[in-house]
Amino acid sequence: MAEPADQTAGEVLEDDVDEHVRGTIERWPQIDPEVEGIVVRIGKLDRLLTKAAVTSLSRVGLTHEEFKVLIALNKGVRSHGSLSRNLMVSTGAMTNRLDKLEERGLVRRERDPSDRRGVLLEITPEGRKRLDGYIDLGADRERELLDELDPAEKRQLNGLLRRLLLRLQSEVGAAPPAQSDA
């Protein structure tokens, strides 16, 4: 059996979180060091993966917020209100995002035939082209970033994260928006 990726000849490799945990436990010994390490590492991993995604998105001319709108439209969300709720941003922030996307030819607004005051949203062919371009780049980059783990480790990590996510969602509810409304 191969040695775990974080060990060489019995020595455990450390990251900057280990120092953080030691300092935290020194000050507040009631904190569980394993829990603290998990929470801090998940937060750092999220920020690093988002940073990598933003880099790939910029290569196809999209921001992270624009990507979230396009992916929601691709999944079939069609109304302004549904999109705002789905992405957990204010309707004003969503209007700003949609205005910019429409100006760039990535989305189109059409009158709702069943509600004369309503507007339906649709991703344009150019919007779909940009979205598909990012998916190709982003998927390759994510695979590359997670290549440190072998397939069995990826399945194990996915299972543990799924279990934790389901528990937190049932106890705490849906995740709050990751970024500001603007």
Side-chain angles (χ1 to χ4, degrees):
M1 177 148 70
E3 288 184 33
D6 65 347
Q7 293 185 356
T8 53
E11 181 183 339
V12 175
L13 299 177
E14 290 197 348
D15 59 19
D16 60 340
V17 175
D18 293 304
E19 182 63 31
H20 161 83
V21 169
R22 280 191 293 275
T24 300
I25 300 312
E26 217 173 87
R27 173 69 178 93
W28 297 285
Q30 69 271 30
I31 292 177
D32 181 330
E34 293 300 327
V35 171
E36 182 70 6
I38 290 167
V39 170
V40 173
R41 282 187 180 92
I42 288 173
K44 284 185 173 241
L45 287 167
D46 177 56
R47 289 188 296 278
L48 290 167
L49 289 169
T50 298
K51 182 178 179 180
V54 166
T55 300
S56 295
L57 283 161
S58 70
R59 290 179 58 195
V60 296
L62 291 174
T63 67
H64 197 242
E65 290 74 22
E66 291 169 338
F67 164 72
K68 290 190 282 188
V69 171
L70 294 178
I71 203 78
L73 291 173
N74 187 66
K75 290 179 181 177
V77 178
R78 300 272 328 261
S79 77
H80 184 278
S82 294
L83 198 54
S84 296
R85 284 187 299 279
N86 185 281
L87 298 179
M88 295 186 276
V89 297
S90 70
T91 55
M94 186 54 62
T95 297
N96 290 336
R97 288 181 191 180
L98 291 170
D99 287 348
K100 290 175 186 173
L101 286 165
E102 188 175 37
E103 285 172 18
R104 294 175 52 212
L106 305 179
V107 299
R108 136 177 72 242
R109 291 173 167 124
E110 299 175 351
R111 290 226 174 267
D112 184 343
S114 62
D115 176 3
R116 66 186 180 122
R117 294 178 301 152
V119 174
L120 296 177
L121 304 164
E122 185 176 5
I123 189 170
T124 65
E126 179 60 25
R128 187 161 310 287
K129 179 181 169 188
R130 299 265 183 111
L131 180 59
D132 291 345
Y134 166 71
I135 297 298
D136 291 341
L137 280 173
D140 285 346
R141 183 64 176 134
E142 287 171 352
R143 263 191 299 276
E144 182 182 295
L145 290 170
L146 297 178
D147 208 27
E148 176 68 23
L149 303 176
D150 66 37
E153 290 170 324
K154 289 174 190 169
R155 281 189 299 277
Q156 180 184 18
L157 181 57
N158 239 329
L160 293 169
L161 291 171
R162 180 181 302 110
R163 198 168 98 205
L164 183 58
L165 180 61
L166 288 169
R167 167 67 195 272
L168 291 176
Q169 285 176 329
S170 73
E171 187 161 319
V172 180
Q179 299 176 339
S180 71
D181 284 357

